[in-house]
Amino acid sequence: MRRVVGVEGSDDDRLLLLDPAIVSSPNSFSDAEAKALRSFGVPQELQHYELRLTYDNLKSEEVLRAVLPEGQDVTSGFSRVGHIAHMNLREHQLPYRNLIGQVIMDKNPGVTCVVNKTNTIDSTYRFFKMEVMAGEENMVAKVRENGVTYELDFSCVYWNPRLSTEHERVVALLKRGDTVLDVFAGVGPFAIPAARRGCTVLANDLNPESHRWLQHNCKLNKVERKVTTFNLDGRAFIQGPLKQKLPALLHEPACLGPGVPGCLQRPPGPGTFLRCEPAAEGWCSVHLVRNVAPNKEMMCVSFTIPKEVLFSSKSTETGTIEEPAPKRHKCGETTD
């Protein structure tokens, strides 16, 4: 609510609204407050003012608490991607999703679309399916992060606004002239800031939509000459363009030809970010990026790959490498 309101019939006068439970008479002012009022020529007189509270005066939590069934959890938190508010509703809240979406849109200026993440995840490109709860079905968003503008179709690419600090932290490690090899580049939150910093970037993503928006964002930020993009599986990118580029970067002979496995036969996991620069031998660091959910944390592990591992001529097992299924532990459960 506005604490300063105009006076009907006057262009100059204003009323300052006070809490009647605290200020009930002119004697309610302290000596310091009374002195301050006199110094500005403001008379110590109180008036009654009729204040009409409407829907506009209520916060989203207050509205939802009033309209949802008694005992229902009130969910008003969301991630914002441009004009899109992204929510993660629980199962028992789904019958009220349209109502919740409308309130979120009403109470947040600039939000014209509210979506909810469903339980279905694309098994190949790793983005969540979502449904529109309220507003327009326009999923092409424009966002600005750390001074860089991105455009993307939020319905078919991965974008997490809560990783902004991590994007900034990693890019701050880079220096002009570095070469960055981004295996899972997405729409460019690492690749484009790195290119703007003066790095040469090889950026890859398997998702055709991510690759398309990556190219679009490179042009949008005028770094298309600094970023070479690829639409390959991570393994193919590592065994192809990365393998061809790496020897020259590390001033090594062209020893990564066909049939020489090394660790380049096996791609790193999602989220791996390769920065080609000599580092202290044995250097390693681990830090928390963010809490994803109770008992689930996102960690960043940075380490140096020894040349003996990188350029190993020993054979490795061939065939498909299957990742073990993650085990969900109960609260308090410990493992050896």
Side-chain angles (χ1 to χ4, degrees):
M1 55 177 285
R2 297 176 58 190
R3 304 303 176 93
V4 179
V5 297
V7 177
E8 187 176 354
S10 174
D11 295 332
D12 300 324
D13 295 335
R14 298 288 185 273
L15 291 178
L16 174 63
L17 303 187
L18 304 173
D19 187 344
I22 299 175
V23 181
S24 58
S25 72
N27 296 327
S28 300
F29 294 109
S30 67
D31 292 340
E33 291 169 340
K35 182 179 179 180
L37 290 173
R38 288 194 298 271
S39 69
F40 286 102
V42 178
Q44 282 182 245
E45 63 180 57
L46 299 179
Q47 299 180 15
H48 288 287
Y49 180 82
E50 182 177 340
L51 179 66
R52 293 178 59 85
L53 296 178
T54 67
Y55 179 75
D56 293 334
N57 297 103
L58 300 177
K59 298 178 181 179
S60 55
E61 295 89 343
E62 295 170 325
V63 175
L64 292 174
R65 194 173 294 114
V67 298
L68 291 178
E70 186 175 354
Q72 177 68 249
D73 292 342
V74 174
T75 298
S76 59
F78 60 88
S79 296
R80 184 161 179 174
V81 181
H83 66 282
I84 303 170
H86 173 216
M87 306 188 74
N88 294 322
L89 297 184
R90 298 176 181 175
E91 187 71 27
H92 65 275
Q93 297 168 327
L94 293 179
Y96 314 102
R97 56 184 175 272
N98 299 123
L99 174 60
I100 294 172
Q102 187 63 49
V103 172
I104 294 300
M105 193 167 63
D106 290 346
K107 293 299 177 179
N108 294 274
V111 171
T112 59
C113 175
V114 184
V115 300
N116 180 52
K117 181 174 69 177
T118 68
N119 292 327
T120 305
I121 183 172
D122 186 280
S123 59
T124 302
Y125 302 133
R126 311 303 293 174
F127 62 85
F128 281 95
K129 303 292 185 181
M130 55 191 70
E131 61 176 345
V132 176
M133 297 160 51
E136 60 181 347
E137 295 191 20
N138 176 19
M139 303 302 287
V140 176
K142 185 174 184 178
V143 298
R144 189 164 178 83
E145 178 184 275
N146 301 326
V148 181
T149 300
Y150 303 90
E151 293 180 348
L152 53 100
D153 187 334
F154 189 54
S155 66
C156 53
V157 304
Y158 179 81
W159 179 268
N160 190 336
R162 293 173 181 169
L163 294 179
S164 171
T165 301
E166 184 66 7
H167 295 156
E168 186 177 32
R169 184 194 71 83
V170 171
V171 172
L173 300 173
L174 304 172
K175 298 193 299 291
R176 178 173 293 276
D178 282 352
T179 297
V180 175
L181 309 170
D182 195 347
V183 184
F184 308 97
V187 299
F190 286 118
I192 292 173
R196 284 164 54 97
R197 202 174 179 87
C199 300
T200 299
V201 182
L202 275 66
N204 173 73
D205 202 278
L206 175 63
N207 185 345
E209 282 296 307
S210 294
H211 178 255
R212 183 170 72 87
W213 287 105
L214 170 63
Q215 291 181 316
H216 172 81
N217 289 323
C218 286
K219 293 179 181 178
L220 183 65
N221 290 279
K222 299 179 172 58
V223 295
E224 64 269 27
R225 295 185 179 181
K226 300 288 291 183
V227 182
T228 305
T229 65
F230 301 86
N231 181 208
L232 301 170
D233 179 79
R235 182 189 302 274
F237 173 72
I238 290 174
Q239 295 178 349
L242 192 155
K243 181 185 288 189
Q244 296 169 9
K245 188 79 172 177
L246 204 54
L249 295 175
L250 300 181
H251 307 291
E252 292 289 338
C255 59
L256 297 180
V260 182
C263 75
L264 298 182
Q265 286 295 98
R266 180 174 305 200
T272 302
F273 188 83
L274 300 180
R275 177 191 176 202
C276 292
E277 178 180 306
E281 185 174 354
W283 176 80
C284 179
S285 69
V286 180
H287 81 274
L288 173 68
V289 175
R290 57 182 286 260
N291 294 103
V292 179
N295 301 320
K296 184 178 181 182
E297 296 177 338
M298 179 183 292
M299 310 294 294
C300 175
V301 181
S302 305
F303 57 91
T304 304
I305 302 177
K307 289 184 179 180
E308 293 79 10
V309 175
L310 192 64
F311 296 101
S312 172
S313 60
K314 296 181 180 179
S315 297
T316 58
E317 295 181 3
T318 59
T320 302
I321 301 173
E322 296 184 0
E323 297 181 1
K327 179 182 178 182
R328 184 183 297 274
H329 298 294
K330 298 180 180 178
C331 293
E333 181 180 347
T334 58
T335 56
D336 295 332

